[in-house]
Amino acid sequence: MDRILNFEYFLPTRLVFGVGSLNRVGEFAKSLGKKALIVTGKSSTKKTGLLDRVIAVLEKNGIETAVFDEIVPNPLSSTVDKGAEFANNEGCDLIIGLGGGSPVDSAKLIAVVAKDGGHCWDYTGSGGGRVPKSALPVIAIPTTHGTGTESDPFAVVTNTETDEKIGVGFDQTFPTISIVDPEVMKTLPPYQTAATGMDAFYHAIESYINTNHQPTSDLLALEAMSLINHYLPIAYSDGNNIEARTALAWASTAAGICETLSGCIANHSIEHPISAHYNATHGAGLCATGPAFFDYIRPHTKERLARVAQIMGAPESEIDIDRLSKMSIELIHRLQKNVDIDITLEELGVEKSMLGRLAEDAMRTMGALVEVTPGNLKTKDLERILEMSY
């Protein structure tokens, strides 16, 4: 025990996990409303037939549906506002987020704006920090094993007018029910498999290093990292491997619980402006900055990084904490190389002249995550990490 424990545990979402669990969506929706707005993207859930399958199950259980399919990667606050207006015009009393993190995050915020009013950006720190009093119930159906949004209250949204990407989270934005069916993730292409899997990995490791770590998040973070380290290369090579998909689905959900209980740290603060300015894939951005970030803060968290190395395959004979902590960085690189996503900021298209601006944006928009990062980081430290990642 490395400190005196004080913590809270609050996770009101009902998690329904397992192959075939999607078939129960109608059963749960009946208890929440009469007409569901399905929030999704323009193509993937249609191409795979998943959207039609969900509509059919809902209609079989007497639930009317409307579809809002305008969600894009790195979802926009303006789209959330449009979705909320559509939900109210259609008389929807239930929101279903169907897809990756972007549709589920958008569903959470549409549920807030539709019920509580105002505009989406009002609820961000940059937009005034409005706190919702209520929201429509949300069913989350993730189709990727990355964001963990099915088991946390957080939603990330981008304002294209200010080039800001900010995460928000309230008690009202927990999904009421989350249905995690690994079978629907089998169609995830290799690149998205890698990017979302590494997103979950960074949720886990960041919560483990967070100064607010607690017993439950520690256990789940180590479990998630171990599973991702073993199964992500398998799923990357064979997307139909249901054992790997199931392990990664649970790892993502577990890492999402870690986000709820302990939270991410400054690596996420650094990445969000990269996505905001360059529309980069979030998981890829985390991979670009992650190894340098953890190497930079390593002197302040050697013991925990040593444990990360141990669960990622460090030799059992190695017991030196300093060497193990250095090895953790090497093993993160190895994992990223195994799924072809060990990249640099330059390869993401980031301009070197922008590194100072990105560091300032990270501290201004998501400074709260910097505060719970070991090492008492300042803006100049974030800029140095970005330079090391370039």
Side-chain angles (χ1 to χ4, degrees):
M1 189 68 65
D2 57 358
R3 62 188 180 130
I4 302 300
L5 287 177
N6 292 282
F7 64 89
E8 294 184 20
Y9 186 112
F10 179 64
L11 183 64
T13 301
R14 179 172 183 170
L15 292 169
V16 184
F17 186 98
V19 173
S21 57
L22 180 67
N23 296 324
R24 300 182 64 190
V25 62
E27 165 193 338
F28 293 115
K30 282 195 298 186
S31 66
L32 300 176
K34 295 181 179 179
K35 186 172 183 178
L37 177 71
I38 302 176
V39 178
T40 192
K42 288 187 177 295
S43 60
S44 62
T45 59
K46 295 177 182 178
K47 288 180 180 178
T48 62
L50 183 60
L51 176 59
D52 288 341
R53 182 180 166 193
V54 169
I55 291 173
V57 174
L58 289 169
E59 290 181 346
K60 184 178 178 181
N61 286 268
I63 304 297
E64 295 182 66
T65 60
V67 176
F68 183 73
D69 63 357
E70 300 187 26
I71 307 304
V72 297
N74 297 315
L76 309 178
S77 61
S78 57
T79 308
V80 169
D81 291 337
K82 187 175 180 180
E85 182 180 9
F86 183 72
N88 286 332
N89 289 341
E90 289 287 328
C92 298
D93 51 6
L94 163 67
I95 311 295
I96 296 177
L98 178 66
S102 295
V104 177
D105 281 10
S106 298
K108 293 177 180 181
L109 293 173
I110 287 171
V112 166
V113 178
K115 183 72 179 289
D116 206 62
H119 297 283
C120 174
W121 201 249
D122 299 342
Y123 295 90
T124 68
S126 181
R130 176 171 172 168
V131 177
K133 296 181 176 65
S134 60
L136 295 176
V138 171
I139 296 178
I141 306 175
T143 60
T144 71
H145 39 60
T147 67
T149 189
E150 68 273 10
S151 54
D152 70 42
F154 304 114
V156 179
V157 67
T158 296
N159 186 333
T160 54
E161 294 181 5
T162 60
D163 286 328
E164 292 177 302
K165 178 180 176 182
I166 297 179
V168 298
F170 311 97
D171 287 355
Q172 294 80 6
T173 48
F174 276 102
T176 306
I177 296 166
S178 289
I179 298 174
V180 185
D181 189 337
E183 190 171 36
V184 308
M185 303 174 189
K186 287 165 63 177
T187 56
L188 201 59
Y191 177 74
Q192 280 77 17
T193 294
T196 59
M198 288 309 303
D199 186 11
F201 178 87
Y202 279 108
H203 293 157
I205 190 173
E206 290 185 46
S207 74
Y208 187 66
I209 300 301
N210 193 307
T211 57
N212 288 329
H213 64 82
Q214 55 142 294
T216 303
S217 60
D218 281 355
L219 290 169
L220 291 174
L222 292 171
E223 162 92 339
M225 285 186 280
S226 177
L227 289 172
I228 293 165
N229 185 59
H230 179 75
Y231 282 104
L232 186 57
I234 296 173
Y236 181 73
S237 299
D238 177 12
N240 287 314
N241 188 311
I242 194 62
E243 179 184 345
R245 292 296 190 190
T246 300
L248 293 172
W250 164 235
S252 176
T253 299
I257 297 172
C258 293
E259 287 185 274
T260 298
L261 300 180
S262 296
C264 293
I265 54 176
N267 192 43
H268 266 69
S269 305
I270 293 169
E271 195 288 324
H272 277 208
I274 296 168
S275 294
H277 285 278
Y278 296 97
N279 199 29
T281 301
H282 178 53
L286 292 171
C287 287
T289 59
F293 170 79
F294 283 106
D295 194 28
Y296 193 85
I297 67 169
R298 187 182 65 83
H300 307 284
T301 184
K302 288 183 180 181
E303 292 80 6
R304 294 213 146 224
L305 285 175
R307 183 70 183 117
V308 169
Q310 288 172 329
I311 60 98
M312 291 186 71
E316 292 183 9
S317 59
E318 182 59 78
I319 58 173
D320 182 83
I321 295 298
D322 187 62
R323 285 198 294 269
L324 281 168
S325 67
K326 290 178 181 177
M327 198 175 294
S328 71
I329 312 303
E330 299 169 10
L331 290 169
I332 293 170
H333 273 302
R334 184 184 73 176
L335 173 59
Q336 294 182 175
K337 287 175 182 175
N338 284 342
V339 293
D340 298 319
I341 200 167
D342 199 43
I343 56 178
T344 66
L345 289 179
E346 185 176 23
E347 289 171 323
L348 278 182
V350 175
E351 300 146 300
K352 200 163 189 178
S353 60
M354 278 287 291
L355 299 187
R357 166 74 184 276
L358 294 174
E360 291 171 0
D361 284 0
M363 186 65 80
R364 176 174 52 82
T365 61
M366 297 187 70
L369 302 191
V370 182
E371 292 177 6
V372 292
T373 302
N376 191 29
L377 302 182
K378 307 299 182 186
T379 303
K380 61 179 176 56
D381 298 299
L382 304 188
E383 185 172 1
R384 177 60 185 142
I385 292 165
L386 286 161
E387 290 169 354
M388 292 167 61
S389 305
Y390 197 77

